[in-house]
């Protein structure tokens, strides 16, 4: 039987690299699209569970800048799936108190996806129970470069540019860094995800392929996190 999760030891912000949709499909002789479709269901389940646990912020890596190199058919499918997800879930997200936000270069997204995202953001702007961040057309390195550009454009002196001032120009400005980053499918990389914000995040890797990632898998990650001692570069308190 699973031990009870101590609410005081839960992360405030969980970020997930949802990996393994393609392998999930391949192992079942299904098209990759089916892996993504099941991946979207797993994403919905993760949102539900984080909500039930009272986690304040969930960031999902849904489309990286590097994902454009995939076949156009797969890229188109992913954006259609995203819009389908928003259309299907928006009312529920709205009533559940979820605020939808986006990180990444939105200008580069297909028009119909931008439209759906804008509507979802507007409809949920007043919600505060949980923030659901979708990382779309996202690159951590590009986000840092963009923050530097914005800082310079603000007219502030280069000599005054420090980490705190750059933080204000990130997509995540004003919001807490992830406490826990989960990556599924056995890969142990950060893949250009939240490079600035994960400086002191706890990392958790599991072999489960994303479409199979369940509430039980999330609980396992959270138990693991609860057992970590976070030092933020300082000494361990004994
Ligand atoms: C990685 O699996 C997954 C992606 C590149 C896309 C993530 C998208 C979803 C989970 C579905 C849509 C999400 C939402 C929020 C609607 P992969 O294709 O790289 O798998 P592989 O490494 O096994 O090939």
């Amino acid at each position: 039987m699973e031990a009870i999760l101590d609410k005081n030891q839960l992360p405030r912000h969980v970020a997930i690299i949802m990996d393994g949709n393609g392998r999930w499909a391949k192992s079942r002789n299904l098209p990759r699209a089916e892996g993504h479709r099941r991946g979207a269901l797993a994403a919905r389940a993760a949102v539900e569970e984080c909500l039930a646990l009272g986690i304040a912020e969930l960031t999902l890596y849904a489309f990286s800048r590097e994902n454009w190199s995939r076949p156009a058919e797969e890229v188109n499918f992913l954006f259609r799936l995203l819009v389908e997800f928003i259309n299907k879930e928006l009312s529920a997200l709205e009533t559940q108190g979820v605020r939808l936000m986006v990180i990444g270069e939105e200008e580069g997204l297909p028009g119909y996806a931008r439209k759906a995202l804008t509507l979802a953001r507007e409809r949920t702007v007043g919600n505060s129970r949980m923030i659901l961040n979708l990382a779309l057309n996202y690159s951590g390195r590009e986000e840092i470069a963009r923050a530097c550009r914005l800082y310079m454009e603000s007219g502030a002196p280069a000599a005054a540019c420090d980490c705190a001032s750059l933080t204000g120009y990130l997509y995540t400005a004003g919001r807490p860094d992830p406490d826990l980053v989960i990556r599924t499918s056995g890969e142990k990389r950060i893949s250009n995800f939240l490079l600035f914000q994960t400086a002191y995040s706890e990392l958790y890797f599991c072999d489960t392929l994303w479409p199979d990632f369940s509430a039980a898998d999330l609980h396992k990650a959270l138990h693991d996190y609860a057992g970590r001692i976070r030092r933020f570069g300082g000494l361990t308190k004994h």
Side-chain angles (χ1 to χ4, degrees):
M1 208 180 77
E2 188 195 316
I4 307 270
L5 277 167
D6 179 348
K7 297 253 174 198
N8 297 317
Q9 292 193 318
L10 285 176
R12 187 189 150 126
H13 181 181
V14 176
I16 309 183
I17 304 175
M18 309 179 288
D19 198 7
N21 295 352
R23 277 162 284 165
W24 183 92
K26 193 168 181 211
S27 70
R28 287 165 177 77
N29 276 322
L30 293 168
R32 289 179 64 81
E34 194 49 33
H36 293 315
R37 191 173 284 289
R38 290 292 295 264
L41 294 178
R44 187 56 181 117
V47 172
E48 287 292 336
E49 196 54 29
C50 286
L51 261 174
L53 290 166
I55 286 168
E57 187 156 348
L58 172 66
T59 299
L60 298 176
Y61 204 2
F63 193 87
S64 73
R65 214 166 181 246
E66 291 70 30
N67 286 153
W68 291 109
S69 64
R70 295 186 179 210
E73 193 191 344
E74 180 171 348
V75 169
N76 291 336
F77 181 83
L78 281 168
F79 285 113
R80 285 204 308 274
L81 187 62
L82 170 74
V83 172
E84 193 183 301
F85 175 88
I86 292 173
N87 290 342
K88 213 166 99 203
E89 304 297 344
L90 185 55
S91 305
L93 295 174
E94 216 177 347
T95 48
Q96 286 171 325
V98 179
R99 179 174 181 187
L100 190 127
M101 298 182 91
V102 176
I103 58 172
E105 198 196 330
E106 267 185 88
E107 297 75 31
L109 299 178
Y112 67 94
R114 290 176 70 182
K115 219 168 127 187
L117 290 164
T118 302
L119 175 75
R121 233 190 333 234
E122 284 171 4
R123 289 240 317 249
T124 60
V125 71
N127 283 347
S128 55
R129 186 166 158 212
M130 185 174 101
I131 289 179
L132 171 60
N133 266 321
L134 296 181
L136 291 164
N137 196 17
Y138 178 84
S139 151
R141 285 182 171 176
E142 181 49 41
E143 180 184 30
I144 295 169
R146 174 182 175 271
C148 295
R149 283 195 299 274
L150 292 173
Y151 178 86
M152 295 313 289
E153 282 165 18
S154 77
C161 182
D162 58 11
C163 292
S165 48
L166 273 190
T167 303
Y169 291 101
L170 297 174
Y171 292 118
T172 52
R175 303 210 304 279
D177 291 339
D179 302 294
L180 171 66
V181 178
I182 298 171
R183 182 172 191 148
T184 59
S185 89
E187 307 290 350
K188 296 181 178 70
R189 289 187 291 279
I190 209 76
S191 297
N192 211 0
F193 188 44
L194 298 171
L195 295 182
F196 195 99
Q197 298 89 336
T198 53
Y200 288 103
S201 304
E202 296 295 327
L203 307 179
Y204 178 87
F205 301 101
C206 65
D207 289 333
T208 309
L209 302 175
W210 177 250
D212 287 330
F213 192 83
S214 63
D217 292 303
L218 178 64
H219 282 220
K220 245 190 245 174
L222 296 172
H223 277 298
D224 194 280
Y225 172 83
R228 309 261 181 115
I229 299 163
R230 302 189 75 193
R231 287 193 291 269
F232 299 95
L235 291 173
T236 311
K237 290 196 191 90
H238 292 286

